[in-house]
Amino acid sequence: MAFYEAFEGIYQGEKAVWLKAGRFEAALLPEIGGNLITFRDNETGSRFLHEPEPDEMDAFKANPGIYGIPVLFPPNRYEDGKFAWNGKTYQFPVNEASTGNHLHGYAHLSEWELIHFGSNERESYAEVSLKVTETHRMCEFLPFAFTITLRYGLSELGLSQQVLIRNEGSETMPCLLAFHTAVNAPFAPEGNAKDYRLKLTLGNRWELDGRMLPTGQFQKLTPEEEQMRGEGVYPFFAAMDNHYTAVPQNGRNRMELTDTKLGLTLVYDVGTSYKQWMIWNNFATEGFFCPEPQINLVNAPNVALPAEEIGLFGLEPGAIWEERARLYLK
């Protein structure tokens, strides 16, 4: 029977909540974006998430987007920083000079509150929340009051995630969210990226213009992308910063990463509310890549396509949206 434990500790000099569950351990950083920074298998030495090295901690704190599981709200790019919603246009600062867009919002850069942590006979767990009110930087640009709550649980079944967004204001707010999850390839200590195969429940590839914004058209999938949808493909076959529709297979929306030498597969099952995928592989550099489950199309409020098709929807006052995900081995 597995031993479960949750406790406050330190991760590379930062306050962390550590979760233990038999062979597995994970660490959550409430003060750095509510980022679940590590998920490890101590029996095999596998590290499934891209973690900062000790000399990368300053870079991580300045830009935590490519380590662990960063929370993006609103996710990805918005043209000229503009955000059209319910007859109004809100203005985010342009923070990506190369495209002239706003990128990724501020949830992953914010300090989150540790609500609760503990363990029982089934799992160890921790819960954090980000409360956005008029004093939060996000409210400068999106003047809505809401709370995002994240709960992580660790057990013999792997790492579970529950996310909940509640509108606590008086107006209908846009609900746009993604996770810039950074997965190691290889994840095994002696693994070779050439032995890894990636599968993703993708549908169509969105055409992106020179500013990395969707044109509203689709592009034909390459043979390697067809493999990614089917039997699996080497994750670094080409540089990817690609945007796809998500199409569940067998009732599930997921990524699978297989070490063919070990015969071990890491599954990232994200739930069917995520209608889009982004995938970024660090310019085809072996080591890690980011399969990003995303509710909405990039730049969705500014795209003239049906809202249901592009995952653009609102939460009425008092309304809640929630979804779950899980990382596990098979």
Side-chain angles (χ1 to χ4, degrees), residues 26 45-46 60 91 98 122 124 179 187 190-191 196 205-206 239 242 249 295 325:
S46 295
F60 162 62
Q91 181 69 56
S98 61
R122 293 183 303 155
S124 55
F179 292 94
F187 52 71
E190 303 301 324
Y196 279 63
R205 177 179 174 178
W206 291 101
N242 298 347
Q249 298 175 5
I295 292 175

Side-chain angles (χ1 to χ4, degrees), residues 5 12 27 32 39 61 93 105 114 122 126 134 138 160 176 202 256 266 284 314 325:
E5 184 183 16
Q12 299 205 37
I32 307 180
F39 172 38
K61 285 184 281 187
L114 176 60
R122 293 183 303 155
E134 60 190 16
M138 192 121 56
S160 66
L176 306 103
L202 61 87
E256 295 187 0
L266 176 68

Side-chain angles (χ1 to χ4, degrees), residues 259-274:
D259 184 317
T260 59
K261 284 282 181 66
L262 292 178
L264 190 64
T265 298
L266 176 68
V267 181
Y268 183 30
D269 187 332
V270 302
T272 55
S273 289
Y274 298 103

Side-chain angles (χ1 to χ4, degrees), residues 140-156:
E140 253 184 85
F141 315 113
L142 274 184
F144 301 96
F146 60 96
T147 297
I148 307 174
T149 303
L150 269 176
R151 183 190 188 278
Y152 285 101
L154 192 66
S155 74
E156 293 175 281

Side-chain angles (χ1 to χ4, degrees), residues 159-178:
L159 180 73
S160 66
Q161 179 201 67
Q162 291 173 281
V163 57
L164 182 149
I165 302 174
R166 183 174 189 268
N167 182 352
E168 294 166 344
S170 58
E171 297 182 63
T172 297
M173 62 171 280
C175 186
L176 306 103
L177 181 84

